[in-house]
């Protein structure tokens, strides 16, 4: 049986439904579903995502040939329901052609509206509608969109404005109007001709007049847009596989630009910025949908309360607001009531916040799209917790609804209130995406990327953003736009990325060529500092101090839910009492990794460390280590105290000794060290040279240092146990664990364990107090994983150092991988950077085997992960699935790991 590639919908009937996202994409599946539940949707059809993959496999000509009969039948189906005919001069049907992957990708792919127009059809529509302004406004829009999307008519240079916009601005100037909607019929006709001539001149192609040729051009262009630069970048950022493909939905056009009884808008069933349970959105009278999301015109609010809040921020009186900027609720009360009822119906049907697009054509409401709305981390948590309280979802569903990585947004810094009092507000825009951002002004996406790579924090300033700006938006701290509302491209994408954004700051004047922005009569140049408050929409000159964010009640409720369902605990990687306390405040149940080498770099500590390195005898090393002992003891005392009652896993010295002395090429540093140590520079250079290794990460480090210099392990053990005994005497409950790094042979661990046990026993006897102590090892060498059953005869626990285990399993140097890794990712040799996302098929299997082998010898053996992967959600879930006891990560990743661990438990149950 021939596989089905085209699914029709319309008039309350549909061949698809909401469960068919994989085949029909999110848009196509939801268009079908809305038909089935009685929401008014223009009829049309959806071409499947698999067809997109076929397009890339067999090419455009063959895919058109395969689809031709099915598309012709689907067009006829749409014609019958709309009672008009595609390409007909007297009673024409126009269509829109839209993309739609199974995961929401707002603005990343292409859409074409008003398709099916040519000169003859336009004149026929004028006779039919008696509305020439509407017809030629639609015609110029179609030529503009088709020219851009299908024929590739784009700006030549980044400083240039869109070539079509340049033509529009010139014609508006000639006619003496400021808004597109005020152009006369003659000016609109003129634009059509000028657009076609410009397309021919720049692209060498004539604009197609045959509607079916137009339709196939648009369908194939949407398929092509799946592999455009911005879509590829967005998929990388969001972890969306390339092989999913996009569906194409072709719908009968309904028109929001037919006059003052027509409108278009975008709305959300709840606030996408803060999660407030308040219907909100924006609309434009006598406009088409692209006008709202592109930010070309700043739209009006749908609800009265939204309009009043907007006016208050903008400093507009209630009288002026009602007269000039009425909400849809006030201007179109009956249509608003219908819209409000349907948005509520959709939220209850999907049990989630909905992002919807609609059009009003001469008093009739149509829905063009619904999807689960993109939201900030704050909104994500609040909406999930509110939906539980409202009985729309259960606790486990709420846990699964939240994206672990988006919790990071709740931990971003906010402006210090005291600093804000003295800050100068230079303009006010819309609070499009909350948060605080401070950085140097840049005007172009590629500049934002370049400045960011060079270590600068930047704020990207644009007239309006377009999907092509995605990479720059990702690199920026925040985004400021002159145009656009709360549902513009800048706002929606920024919220999805968790970026601070102020949109629609209408007073700013941007000059791309001069790279300046004028605000309130003051000219700011590229490189000047601006600060944005995405929560209030205020823009400030200069830099404003920030402070750490405070955790909200909803956030705590979510974390409590995670504790209720999780089986795996989360610890932190912390080297200071401050980091330990921060992590504990975020819910860490202990420390999974304390890197003792990070404690050696302060003034007197590094001096004593260097004395130890310079010493040629055991006695000399012990003398220097004796100077380090009190420092180490105080460090461990502070950390164990901060984590009172929790396990604290302390790794013995790991890095090669050359890291503690000035490098070969740092002559000044060597001179300073010689002077400080009271020796000749030649002596320093001799020792530095003797420490040189061709591959230090595989050299004299980890337990190998402890084997050759046992006095180092002895000193560190004495410091750890002394600190623990002091705390025990003071009434605290310390639980130190001592971890031997880089073990690959059982006897390495055995030798180190003997030193640790001997010194620990001595200290406890000296101080007259017993503290619990466990001795384990870090599994980070493949041989250790392969012989984990032998190593478990001495190790009381395993902690997996996945940074080194990944390095040694792949044979990739972490320091050099950047030279080829981008090519591996681009060419699909690797799906993800294995140093960021745990390689479950290779490294993961070594871990799984080591856990099983270890527990085979030592039943119930505690195991955990402490590499960078310990805070990456998919890696955490893998570790939970194979039965690890804990994941350890940096303090600010603790909430992310807690949510991922809880999701792993819930997913396992389901």
């Amino acid at each position: 049986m021939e596989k089905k590639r085209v699914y029709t919908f319309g008039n309350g009937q549909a061949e698809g439904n909401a469960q068919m996202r994989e085949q029909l994409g999110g848009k196509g599946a939801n268009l079908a579903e809305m038909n089935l539940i009685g929401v008014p949707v223009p009829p049309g059809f959806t071409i499947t995502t698999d067809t997109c993959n076929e397009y890339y496999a067999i090419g455009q000509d063959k895919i058109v040939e395969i689809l031709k009969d099915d598309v012709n039948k689907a067009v006829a189906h749409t014609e019958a329901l709309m009672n008009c005919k595609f390409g007909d001069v007297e009673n024409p049907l126009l269509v829109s052609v839209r993309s739609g992957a199974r995961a929401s990708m707002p603005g990343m792919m292409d859409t074409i509206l008003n398709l099916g127009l040519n000169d003859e059809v336009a004149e026929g529509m004028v006779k039919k509608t008696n509305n020439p302004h509407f017809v030629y406004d639609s015609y110029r829009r179609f030529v503009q969109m088709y020219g851009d999307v299908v024929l590739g008519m784009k700006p030549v240079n980044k400083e240039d404005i869109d070539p079509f916009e340049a033509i529009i601005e010139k014609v508006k100037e000639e006619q003496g109007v400021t808004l597109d909607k005020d152009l006369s019929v003659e000016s609109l006709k003129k634009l059509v001709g000028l657009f076609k001539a410009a397309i021919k001149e720049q692209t060498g192609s004539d604009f197609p007049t045959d509607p079916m040729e137009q339709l196939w051009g648009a369908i194939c262009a949407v398929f092509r847009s799946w592999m455009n630069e911005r879509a590829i970048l967005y998929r990388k950022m969001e972890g969306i596989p390339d092989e999913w493909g996009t569906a194409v939905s072709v719908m009968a056009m309904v028109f929001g630009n037919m006059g003052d009884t027509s409108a278009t808008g975008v709305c959300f069933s709840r606030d996408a910025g803060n999660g407030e349970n308040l219907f909100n959105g924006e609309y434009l009278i006598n406009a088409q949908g692209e006008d709202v999301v592109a930010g070309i015109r700043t739209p009006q609010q749908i609800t009265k309360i939204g309009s009043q809040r907007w006016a208050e921020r903008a400093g507009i009186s209630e009288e002026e607001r009602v007269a000039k900027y009425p909400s849809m609720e006030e201007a179109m009360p009956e249509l608003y009531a219908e819209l409000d009822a349907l948005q509520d119906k959709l939220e209850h049907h999907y049990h989630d916040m909905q992002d919807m697009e609609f059009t009003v054509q001469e008093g009739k409401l149509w829905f063009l799209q619904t999807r689960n709305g993109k939201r900030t981390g704050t909104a994500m948590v609040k909406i999930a917790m509110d939906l539980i309280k409202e009985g729309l979802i259960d606790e486990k569903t709420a846990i699964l609804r939240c994206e672990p990585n988006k919790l990071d947004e709740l931990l971003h810094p906010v402006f210090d209130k005291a600093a804000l009092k003295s800050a100068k507000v230079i303009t006010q825009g819309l609070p499009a995406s909350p948060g605080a951002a401070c950085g140097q002004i840049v005007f172009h996406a590629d500049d934002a990327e370049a400045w960011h790579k060079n270590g600068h924090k930047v704020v990207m300033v644009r007239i309006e953003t377009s999907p092509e700006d995605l990479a720059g938006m990702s690199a920026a701290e925040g985004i400021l736009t002159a145009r656009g509302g709360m549902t513009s491209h800048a706002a929606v994408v920024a919220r999805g990325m968790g970026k601070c954004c102020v949109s629609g700051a209408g007073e700013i004047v941007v000059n791309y060529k001069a790279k300046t922005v004028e605000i309130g009569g003051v000219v700011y140049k590229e490189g000047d500092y601006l600060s944005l408050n995405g929560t209030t929409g205020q823009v400030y000159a200069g830099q404003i101090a920030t402070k750490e964010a405070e955790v909200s009640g909803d956030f705590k409720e979510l974390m409590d839910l995670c504790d209720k369902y999780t089986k795996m605990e989360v610890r932190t990687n912390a080297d200071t009492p401050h980091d330990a306390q921060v992590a504990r405040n975020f819910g860490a149940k202990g420390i999974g990794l304390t890197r003792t080498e990070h404690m050696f770099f302060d003034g007197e500590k590094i001096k004593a460390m260097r004395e130890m390195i310079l010493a040629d005898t055991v006695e000399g090393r012990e003398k220097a280590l004796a100077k380090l002992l009190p420092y180490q003891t105080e460090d461990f005392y502070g950390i164990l105290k901060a984590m009172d009652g929790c396990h604290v896993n302390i790794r013995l010295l790991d890095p090669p000794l050359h890291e503690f002395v000035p490098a070969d090429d740092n002559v000044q540093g060597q001179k300073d060290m010689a002077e400080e140590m009271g020796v000749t520079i030649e002596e320093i250079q001799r020792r530095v040279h003797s420490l040189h290794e061709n591959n230090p990460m595989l050299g004299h480090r980890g337990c190998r240092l402890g084997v050759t210099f046992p006095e180092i392990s002895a000193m560190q053990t004495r410091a750890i146990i002394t600190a623990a005994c002091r705390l025990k005497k003071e009434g605290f409950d310390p639980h130190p664990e001592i971890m031997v790094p880089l073990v690959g042979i059982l006897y390495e661990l055995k030798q180190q364990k003997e030193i640790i046990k001997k010194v620990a026993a001595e200290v406890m006897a000296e101080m007259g107090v017993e503290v619990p102590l466990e001795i384990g090892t870090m599994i980070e060498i493949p041989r250790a994983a392969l012989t984990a059953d032998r190593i478990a005869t001495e190790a009381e626990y395993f902690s997996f150092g996945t940074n080194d285990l990944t390095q040694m399993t792949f044979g990739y140097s972490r320091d050099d991988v950047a030279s080829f890794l981008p090519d591996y990712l681009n060419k699909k040799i690797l799906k993800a950077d294995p140093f960021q996302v745990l390689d479950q098929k290779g490294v993961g299997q070594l871990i799984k085997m080591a856990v099983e082998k270890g527990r085979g010898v030592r039943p119930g053996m505690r195991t955990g992960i402490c590499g960078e992967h310990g805070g990456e959600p998919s890696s955490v879930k893998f570790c939970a699935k194979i039965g690890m006891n804990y994941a350890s990560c940096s303090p600010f990743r603790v909430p992310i790991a807690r949510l991922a661990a809880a999701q792993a438990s819930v997913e396992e149950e389901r």
Side-chain angles (χ1 to χ4, degrees):
M1 179 181 167
E2 178 70 16
K3 73 176 177 180
K4 190 169 177 63
R5 294 182 177 86
V6 178
Y7 290 75
T8 61
F9 56 83
N11 199 30
Q13 306 291 314
E15 294 181 319
N17 57 52
Q19 279 66 54
M20 297 175 67
R21 292 180 67 88
E22 291 187 15
Q23 301 103 301
L24 303 180
K27 185 178 275 123
N30 287 335
L31 287 169
E33 187 77 5
M34 284 194 288
N35 266 283
L36 297 176
I37 65 171
V39 175
V41 175
F45 58 92
T46 300
I47 304 171
T48 63
T49 56
D50 283 344
T51 312
C52 177
N53 291 327
E54 287 183 288
Y55 173 90
Y56 286 101
I58 64 176
Q60 180 167 316
D61 292 344
K62 286 188 178 177
I63 212 68
V64 171
E65 187 181 327
I66 289 169
L67 285 173
K68 188 167 279 185
D69 288 347
D70 288 339
V71 166
N72 286 339
K73 287 175 188 172
V75 168
H77 173 265
T78 307
E79 290 172 333
L81 291 179
M82 291 298 288
N83 194 31
C84 48
K85 195 166 179 61
F86 189 55
D88 188 70
V89 172
E90 294 181 3
N91 188 24
L93 167 71
L94 302 188
V95 297
S96 64
V97 182
R98 302 167 185 261
S99 60
R102 68 171 89 165
S104 176
M105 294 174 60
M108 295 305 117
M109 292 175 291
D110 291 324
T111 294
I112 297 101
L113 305 180
N114 308 309
L115 189 142
L117 277 167
N118 56 33
D119 292 348
E120 292 75 26
V121 170
E123 281 304 309
M125 283 187 70
V126 170
K127 290 176 186 173
K128 181 183 175 183
T129 64
N130 197 29
N131 190 342
H133 190 280
F134 146 69
V135 172
Y136 282 97
D137 181 48
S138 300
Y139 195 3
R140 70 92 186 167
R141 288 170 183 272
F142 169 53
V143 177
Q144 183 173 352
M145 292 183 87
Y146 198 94
D148 175 10
V149 170
V150 183
L151 302 177
M153 178 83 166
K154 296 184 185 293
V156 177
N157 301 305
K158 67 181 183 181
E159 291 87 3
D160 295 339
I161 68 168
D162 179 276
F164 295 111
E165 289 299 320
I167 295 169
I168 292 172
E169 290 303 316
K170 188 175 179 184
V171 171
K172 283 196 294 191
E173 190 179 329
E174 288 172 2
Q175 193 188 314
V177 299
T178 55
L179 296 176
D180 297 2
K181 69 183 184 68
D182 295 330
L183 285 165
S184 67
V185 174
E186 286 309 309
S187 291
L188 292 169
K189 279 186 176 181
K190 182 177 181 180
L191 282 178
V192 172
L194 290 172
F195 284 175
K196 288 183 177 181
I199 290 168
K200 175 70 172 176
E201 183 180 345
Q202 186 170 321
T203 71
S205 301
D206 286 313
F207 192 86
T209 56
D210 175 45
M212 281 309 296
E213 183 185 346
Q214 294 171 357
L215 180 59
W216 286 115
I219 289 170
C220 294
V222 171
F223 282 148
R224 284 198 302 276
S225 73
W226 177 248
M227 284 297 178
N228 69 36
E229 281 185 29
R230 63 182 186 266
I232 291 169
L233 175 60
Y234 188 86
R235 289 200 295 275
K236 282 183 181 176
M237 289 164 52
E238 296 289 317
I240 299 169
D242 286 346
E243 55 268 25
W244 280 5
T246 182
V248 179
S249 290
V250 178
M251 300 169 68
M253 277 297 300
V254 288
F255 301 97
N257 59 329
M258 289 188 76
D260 290 343
T261 59
S262 301
T264 187
V266 176
C267 56
F268 298 86
S269 60
R270 297 181 189 233
D271 192 304
N274 61 26
E276 182 182 8
N277 186 4
L278 188 71
F279 177 45
N280 66 97
E282 297 171 326
Y283 82 113
L284 281 168
I285 289 175
N286 195 20
Q288 288 198 341
E290 287 301 298
D291 296 344
V292 178
V293 297
I296 294 165
R297 284 166 60 187
T298 299
Q300 291 162 225
Q301 298 296 306
I302 285 175
T303 64
K304 182 178 178 180
I305 187 172
S307 182
Q308 288 172 331
R309 289 180 179 182
W310 168 82
E312 186 180 346
R313 283 192 300 265
I316 292 170
S317 70
E318 177 65 2
E319 293 74 23
E320 186 181 357
R321 182 197 71 78
V322 171
K324 294 183 178 178
Y325 311 105
S327 66
M328 185 178 183
E329 186 176 359
E330 296 162 295
M332 299 176 162
E334 291 180 6
L335 282 163
Y336 169 80
E338 184 184 357
L339 176 67
D340 189 24
L342 286 171
Q343 67 85 17
D344 190 58
K345 177 177 185 174
L346 285 168
E347 177 172 286
H348 278 77
H349 183 76
Y350 285 100
H351 301 278
D352 201 356
M353 185 267 278
Q354 294 300 291
D355 168 359
M356 299 150 282
E357 294 178 18
F358 65 90
T359 288
V360 176
Q361 177 177 306
E362 296 185 311
K364 178 169 173 54
L365 176 65
W366 296 92
F367 271 68
L368 307 181
Q369 173 169 304
T370 192
R371 59 189 173 195
N372 294 339
K374 295 283 184 185
R375 62 205 76 176
T376 65
T378 301
M380 173 187 76
V381 173
K382 178 168 175 54
I383 290 169
M385 303 317 294
D386 283 353
L387 290 175
I388 294 174
K389 294 163 192 167
E390 293 164 28
L392 281 174
I393 60 175
D394 60 22
E395 291 178 343
K396 292 179 180 178
T397 301
I399 288 171
L400 295 176
R401 279 277 171 87
C402 294
E403 297 175 44
N405 280 328
K406 285 192 80 67
L407 291 183
D408 184 50
E409 296 167 30
L410 279 73
L411 310 171
H412 283 181
V414 294
F415 286 132
D416 182 79
K417 288 181 180 175
L420 274 181
K421 287 179 182 175
S422 59
K424 181 187 176 186
V425 178
I426 54 174
T427 192
Q428 172 78 50
L430 298 172
S433 185
C438 178
Q440 294 174 272
I441 299 170
V442 294
F443 295 93
H444 301 290
D446 55 351
D447 292 332
E449 283 187 278
W451 283 50
H452 176 71
K453 282 178 184 171
N454 288 329
H456 296 274
K457 291 186 174 182
V458 299
V459 167
M460 193 161 78
V461 179
R462 302 284 294 166
I463 296 170
E464 72 236 5
T465 64
S466 73
E468 280 78 9
D469 295 320
L470 181 67
M473 294 174 74
S474 177
E477 302 298 307
I479 300 103
L480 171 64
T481 68
R483 297 179 188 161
M486 299 285 282
T487 55
S488 64
H489 173 269
V492 172
V493 174
R495 284 197 292 270
M497 296 165 73
K499 294 282 181 181
C500 170
C501 177
V502 174
S503 62
E507 292 182 356
I508 74 172
V509 180
V510 178
N511 185 324
Y512 290 141
K513 286 192 175 177
K515 292 189 175 181
T516 61
V517 55
E518 185 178 329
I519 308 175
V522 179
V523 175
Y524 298 87
K525 303 185 294 297
E526 183 176 65
D528 290 344
Y529 279 90
L530 284 182
S531 296
L532 311 179
N533 189 332
T535 307
T536 65
Q538 291 175 315
V539 181
Y540 307 87
Q543 297 172 273
I544 300 175
T546 58
K547 65 171 188 172
E548 289 181 2
E550 296 170 358
V551 175
S552 72
D554 290 313
F555 182 87
K556 185 179 184 306
E557 285 182 38
L558 176 64
M559 290 293 100
D560 290 344
L561 267 191
C562 291
D563 288 344
K564 180 176 176 179
Y565 291 102
T566 193
K567 294 174 186 173
M568 184 171 78
E569 71 178 24
V570 175
R571 297 192 191 183
T572 188
N573 300 343
D575 311 324
T576 66
H578 174 265
D579 286 352
Q581 192 58 55
V582 168
R584 190 157 197 180
N585 293 343
F586 288 143
K589 305 296 187 190
I591 291 180
L593 176 63
T594 292
R595 292 159 286 219
T596 55
E597 62 271 8
H598 287 191
M599 303 170 176
F600 291 143
F601 288 97
D602 291 344
E604 291 301 313
K605 296 178 188 177
I606 190 67
K607 188 175 178 182
M609 188 67 180
R610 287 171 170 177
E611 281 182 30
M612 190 275 293
I613 293 169
L614 285 176
D616 289 325
T617 64
V618 172
E619 292 77 18
R621 283 192 291 274
E622 287 179 338
K623 184 179 175 184
L625 289 167
K627 294 180 183 179
L628 277 172
L629 178 62
Y631 296 123
Q632 285 266 275
T633 303
E634 288 306 311
D635 288 331
F636 295 134
Y637 176 89
I639 289 171
L640 287 163
K641 186 176 181 180
M643 278 292 173
D644 183 46
C646 299
H647 288 267
V648 175
N649 187 21
I650 300 167
R651 182 177 71 185
L652 297 180
L653 189 63
D654 182 47
L657 295 179
H658 80 270
E659 290 192 9
F660 300 100
V661 297
D664 274 332
D665 57 355
N666 185 0
V667 177
Q668 186 58 50
Q670 292 171 359
K671 284 180 180 175
D672 293 343
M673 181 177 167
E675 191 175 319
E676 191 177 68
M677 308 299 292
V679 297
T680 64
I681 188 172
E682 288 75 22
E683 174 62 18
I684 297 294
Q685 289 173 335
R686 180 190 68 77
R687 191 68 177 118
V688 168
H689 185 71
S690 72
L691 293 172
H692 173 77
E693 295 178 288
N694 288 322
N695 195 338
M697 295 313 291
L698 296 178
H700 195 187
R701 56 170 284 225
C703 65
R704 300 157 200 169
L705 287 171
V707 169
T708 53
F709 303 130
E711 51 274 15
I712 296 177
S713 301
M715 181 277 289
Q716 291 198 295
T717 301
R718 180 167 289 276
I720 293 166
I721 304 304
T722 299
C725 288
R726 269 176 57 192
L727 286 164
K728 187 80 170 179
K729 283 184 169 184
E730 293 169 13
F732 293 95
D733 183 24
H735 288 269
E737 302 169 347
I738 296 180
M739 181 164 67
V740 181
L742 215 71
V743 164
I745 304 164
L746 169 63
Y747 301 107
E748 292 172 318
L749 176 59
K750 200 168 183 179
Q751 191 261 10
Q752 290 292 284
K753 187 176 178 182
E754 287 171 2
I755 296 169
I756 295 165
K757 289 183 73 174
K758 177 175 178 291
V759 173
E762 288 172 1
V763 175
M764 289 183 208
E766 289 166 12
M767 299 188 70
V769 64
E770 291 278 331
V771 293
L773 172 66
E774 293 182 52
I775 302 168
T777 190
M778 201 169 190
I779 304 287
E780 48 192 329
I781 290 177
R783 190 181 192 280
L786 293 166
T787 61
D789 49 346
R790 287 175 55 76
I791 290 172
T793 60
E794 293 290 341
E796 294 170 74
Y797 64 87
F798 286 162
S799 176
F800 290 87
T802 50
N803 301 350
D804 270 330
L805 189 57
T806 297
Q807 181 168 243
M808 295 191 200
T809 302
F810 274 93
Y812 295 166
S813 164
R814 271 184 294 165
D815 298 323
D816 302 315
V817 73
S819 63
F820 62 87
L821 185 61
D823 285 334
Y824 271 50
L825 295 171
N826 290 336
K827 293 175 180 176
K828 309 292 188 299
I829 293 170
L830 287 171
K831 285 190 174 179
D833 179 348
F835 292 104
Q836 292 182 10
V837 179
L838 185 68
D839 163 47
Q840 296 179 18
K841 291 180 180 175
V843 178
Q845 291 313 300
L846 282 174
I847 294 171
K848 184 172 184 285
M849 178 176 61
V851 170
E852 291 169 354
K853 280 175 170 280
R855 288 177 177 164
V857 170
R858 196 180 287 268
M861 183 185 204
R862 193 169 63 255
T863 62
I865 178 176
C866 65
E868 291 301 316
H869 303 94
E872 194 283 311
S874 68
S875 309
V876 172
K877 288 182 181 182
F878 172 80
C879 294
K881 186 178 176 184
I882 65 171
M884 277 198 190
N885 302 91
Y886 69 85
S888 187
C889 56
S890 61
F892 283 92
R893 303 288 292 177
V894 166
I896 293 167
R898 289 174 70 190
L899 177 55
Q903 288 180 340
S905 298
V906 172
E907 287 165 1
E908 187 182 352
E909 287 179 23
R910 293 191 171 187

